[in-house]
Amino acid sequence: MSSIADKVVVITGASSGVGESTARLLAGNGAKVALGARRKDRIDALVRDINAKGGSALGFKTDVTKRGDVEALVKGAVDRHGRIDAIVNNSGIMPIAPMAALKVEEWDRMIDVNIKGLLYGVAAVLPIMQKQKLGHIINIASVAGFKVFAPGGTVYSATKFAVRALTEGLRMELKADNIRCTVISPAAVATELPEGSSEETTRKNLREFYKIAIPAESIARAIAYAIEQPADVEIGEAVIRPTALDF
Ligand SMILES: NC(=O)c1ccc[n+]([C@@H]2O[C@H](COP(=O)([O-])OP(=O)(O)OC[C@H]3O[C@@H](n4cnc5c(N)ncnc54)[C@H](OP(=O)(O)O)[C@@H]3O)[C@@H](O)[C@H]2O)c1
């Protein structure tokens, strides 16, 4: 039996891309997944598909900018399964534009989803994991959290630098509670993410950049690897790029 089997894993942003792929891979290996995102129709379809294949999935309409939604997602998993082994804080948006375009609402949204949404995930699981003396917090950052992706991705990069800083701080603070912390930093993965930019020229440039993109399952496998380690082994971080990418 895989060491993923029977683990209860909460995944935010599971309606597409990396989150959906991770849900399928973990559930295929016997994990019990609790899935959240705003597009409930897509979450419902994914849950049906996983359960029809003999897996175990629960779905929730979750907007990670609403703390109550994230709490309800985590509570749903605990009510059903009695515990939480891991959370994958995966929800993220990347509307790219130069700073001079003053897309202040998009700056706000990136901070709300990529940083505050992730923190709400941490807040929802922390008391449970501390009580269990066991848990795993997996945060999705980006290579843009190592290098500033400018012009265009300055605020996005800032949010992903924050995700790395938060994960490192959590790691240092939570070791006494036997809670593992992992940050996964992908680059150019073939998902809907680059389509979230409001400027057509930017979307066109990103499509060019994404021609060498790797499948979302490449990231799902790294998440599965971190989860399947024995409880005393913590995979701190992984950076996953297309081999051909020079960024
Ligand atoms: N693709 C890449 O090249 C790449 C590179 C580096 C890092 N990443 C990171 O990987 C993560 C997953 O992105 P992806 O590439 O898989 O893109 P994606 O296909 O666009 O998935 C993003 C997910 O985030 C969810 N989301 C967005 N706003 C949300 C909100 N307010 N509340 C809850 N969920 C929300 C979306 O679901 P709903 O819209 O249904 O809510 C969707 O499920 C993100 O954190 C992203 O920054 C991706």
Side-chain angles (χ1 to χ4, degrees):
M1 202 158 77
S2 138
S3 53
I4 291 170
D6 287 332
K7 285 200 169 144
V8 180
V9 183
V10 174
I11 304 173
T12 66
S15 58
S16 61
V18 170
E20 177 183 346
S21 188
T22 302
R24 289 186 188 281
L25 183 66
L26 295 179
N29 281 286
K32 296 166 176 163
V33 293
L35 311 175
R38 291 166 307 167
R39 289 171 294 176
K40 183 64 168 35
D41 52 334
R42 292 177 70 149
I43 291 288
D44 287 345
L46 178 60
V47 164
R48 273 196 304 274
D49 199 34
I50 288 172
N51 290 334
K53 288 177 176 142
S56 167
L58 294 171
F60 298 85
K61 183 173 171 61
T62 308
D63 180 340
V64 295
T65 67
K66 296 177 180 156
R67 188 173 171 197
D69 278 13
V70 184
E71 283 173 343
L73 166 66
V74 168
K75 184 174 181 306
V78 175
D79 285 352
R80 173 69 71 91
H81 301 296
R83 65 173 205 283
I84 293 214
D85 295 295
I87 185 167
V88 185
N89 286 307
N90 164 74
S91 287
I93 55 169
M94 185 184 75
I96 298 293
M99 295 303 284
L102 292 183
K103 302 251 179 192
V104 179
E105 282 179 11
E106 293 182 355
W107 302 350
D108 283 345
R109 276 203 293 124
M110 276 187 277
I111 290 165
D112 286 347
V113 176
N114 300 0
I115 303 178
K116 290 172 68 181
L118 179 143
L119 281 170
Y120 293 157
V122 170
V125 297
L126 206 43
I128 299 161
M129 290 181 175
Q130 283 180 310
K131 211 164 138 197
Q132 294 175 165
K133 287 278 177 214
L134 187 87
H136 193 171
I137 296 171
I138 299 168
N139 294 330
I140 307 301
S142 170
V143 284
F146 284 84
K147 293 184 203 174
V148 178
F149 178 29
T154 300
V155 177
Y156 179 72
S157 272
T159 66
K160 295 303 188 176
F161 271 73
V163 171
R164 289 188 53 234
L166 289 168
T167 314
E168 179 61 3
L170 285 165
R171 185 191 70 76
M172 293 163 79
E173 288 196 36
L174 301 183
K175 59 172 102 179
D177 292 310
N178 197 33
I179 298 171
R180 301 187 292 177
C181 297
T182 300
V183 62
I184 305 274
S185 296
V189 184
T191 68
E192 297 171 13
L193 194 76
E195 295 301 320
S197 297
S198 54
E199 293 179 327
E200 179 48 32
T201 330
T202 304
R203 279 202 302 277
K204 236 173 95 186
N205 292 340
L206 283 171
R207 275 180 209 131
E208 201 52 43
F209 180 75
Y210 271 74
K211 275 190 174 155
I212 54 164
I214 51 177
E217 213 204 295
S218 326
I219 311 306
R221 285 196 302 271
I223 294 168
Y225 176 72
I227 291 177
E228 75 190 0
Q229 300 306 310
D232 60 350
V233 176
E234 179 186 63
I235 302 297
E237 59 183 38
V239 182
I240 303 152
R241 299 178 174 85
T243 306
L245 185 68
D246 55 6
F247 179 73

